[in-house]
Amino acid sequence: MSDRLAEFDYFPNNDEPFYGAVVSMDIGPIRINRVDCSGGRWSRRANHLADGQENYNLCMSIDSGYRLTQGGADIVRRPGDFVLIDKARPSECVVDTSGADYQIVVPRAAVHTSQRGQDFSSEIAIDSASQPLRLLRSYVTSIFAAAQDLSDPVISQKVGDHLLDLAILGLAPCRDVAHQAGNRGLKAARLGVVLGEINSRFRDPAICPQSVAAAVNISPRYLFQLLEERGLVFSKLVMELRLKRARDLLDDYRNDHLRIGQIAYDCGFNDLSYFNRAFRARFGDAPGAVRAGRV
């Protein structure tokens, strides 16, 4: 995905000085930008379209309202609302005050494939109260608020796939599309979000079903149900992730300077004796013996 956002003209409000900051995260097939900037009018004209940016931006304002015009439609959105901007078409956005928004960059090909080639170029008003977009809002916010580590490519791909599912499911009502995104469906997308949240936080000793459920905007009961349908148990899943990380750290000679206790605490264990027992039960030997017997 290109490192460029898009070309546009900017016109400030009155004499307000311009400022802008962008933080980007590539998560599997999508990119999420958090953009903080001063108010003003942002105009993407026909001459800017040669920059080759043709993906969709699913934008959610964090703390300011705005007016968006594209394809003959003109809408006003409140903080927290979503709009869909087609970067392959001219558009204009007027932001009254300084503020921030999230821009979820959705690959054009992914949208058209999942929605059977339907054209969303004139669809900018999205049902922000839909369940997929409520989940998407909650999860994107938590990713940035907690500065979650998604450097593992497997985890990043899984989380990104399900964020993409939620985004596409959120677009489906625009054209009354009944089939499920990528044939996985909303329940699979929710499960993916839950697993992504657990994968990114299992090293936190305070992780619990209640905190994970709250982070992804579902009830603890529903979290247990989603996991149970896949044959998963929350506590066992967290334990397996912690022990696997500990084994990976012990198998890597570059970590030989770390004491066993440091590795245990890094993986989310508060009690070294408990860690040693759990590790031996899982791998058949003590952590120190595994390190010493490494080939």
Side-chain angles (χ1 to χ4, degrees):
M1 193 171 288
S2 171
D3 289 335
R4 301 173 65 187
L5 294 179
E7 292 185 6
F8 52 83
D9 288 330
Y10 169 73
F11 306 91
N13 288 336
N14 301 320
D15 296 325
E16 180 181 2
F18 171 78
Y19 80 92
V22 179
V23 177
S24 296
M25 294 181 66
D26 288 322
I27 306 175
I30 68 172
R31 167 173 291 175
I32 303 177
N33 302 314
R34 178 186 164 114
V35 180
D36 294 79
C37 64
S38 49
R41 177 163 59 93
W42 308 78
S43 182
R44 182 163 166 81
R45 304 170 189 263
N47 62 293
H48 297 132
L49 304 184
D51 64 4
Q53 300 294 311
E54 60 177 17
N55 294 319
Y56 290 104
N57 268 16
L58 187 56
C59 300
M60 183 194 79
S61 176
I62 300 174
D63 52 15
S64 62
Y66 49 89
R67 188 179 80 246
L68 177 67
T69 302
Q70 185 170 60
D74 190 347
I75 62 169
V76 177
R77 305 303 269 173
R78 301 166 300 175
D81 286 346
F82 283 93
V83 295
L84 182 67
I85 299 177
D86 181 358
K87 290 196 289 187
R89 291 168 59 88
S91 61
E92 183 170 275
C93 184
V94 178
V95 182
D96 293 331
T97 60
S98 300
D101 70 350
Y102 292 119
Q103 299 176 359
I104 302 162
V105 183
V106 182
R108 193 178 198 86
V111 174
H112 287 196
T113 298
S114 296
Q115 304 294 21
R116 300 175 184 172
Q118 296 190 62
D119 179 18
F120 288 92
S121 59
S122 62
E123 307 284 3
I124 62 176
I126 308 299
D127 179 10
S128 302
S130 69
Q131 195 166 33
L133 293 187
R134 292 203 311 271
L135 282 167
L136 185 63
R137 180 189 299 111
S138 174
Y139 197 56
V140 168
T141 301
S142 72
I143 287 175
F144 276 83
Q148 295 185 4
D149 180 10
L150 296 175
S151 58
D152 185 311
V154 176
I155 295 175
S156 178
Q157 184 67 42
K158 183 181 290 290
V159 173
D161 284 343
H162 291 293
L163 290 176
L164 179 60
D165 279 350
L166 290 172
I168 293 174
L169 282 166
L171 297 178
C174 294
R175 292 299 181 91
D176 194 26
V177 179
H179 66 283
Q180 303 296 324
N183 296 320
R184 289 188 285 270
L186 181 56
K187 182 172 285 189
R190 287 174 180 155
L191 176 62
V193 170
V194 167
L195 293 177
E197 183 74 11
I198 294 172
N199 270 287
S200 65
R201 292 179 50 200
F202 70 86
R203 294 165 60 190
D204 179 1
I207 189 174
C208 65
Q210 291 74 20
S211 65
V212 172
V216 300
N217 199 30
I218 62 175
S219 69
R221 180 177 180 181
Y222 190 52
L223 181 146
F224 288 128
Q225 179 184 333
L226 289 172
L227 293 176
E228 183 179 351
E229 289 178 359
R230 287 285 298 272
L232 300 171
V233 177
F234 184 89
S235 59
K236 292 182 179 179
L237 176 60
V238 171
M239 177 64 76
E240 178 64 19
L241 289 169
R242 289 174 173 174
L243 291 174
K244 184 179 183 303
R245 174 174 172 78
R247 178 64 188 256
D248 289 343
L249 291 174
L250 289 167
D251 283 340
D252 190 340
Y253 70 91
R254 292 173 297 181
N255 299 315
D256 284 353
H257 65 286
L258 296 175
R259 297 189 301 273
I260 299 297
Q262 289 177 290
I263 290 176
Y265 297 140
D266 176 79
C267 295
F269 292 92
N270 281 327
D271 186 315
L272 182 57
S273 296
Y274 177 66
F275 165 70
N276 286 327
R277 291 196 301 272
F279 191 95
R280 182 186 290 275
R282 173 65 176 82
F283 297 110
D285 214 339
V290 167
R291 169 181 275 176
R294 185 180 60 216
V295 177

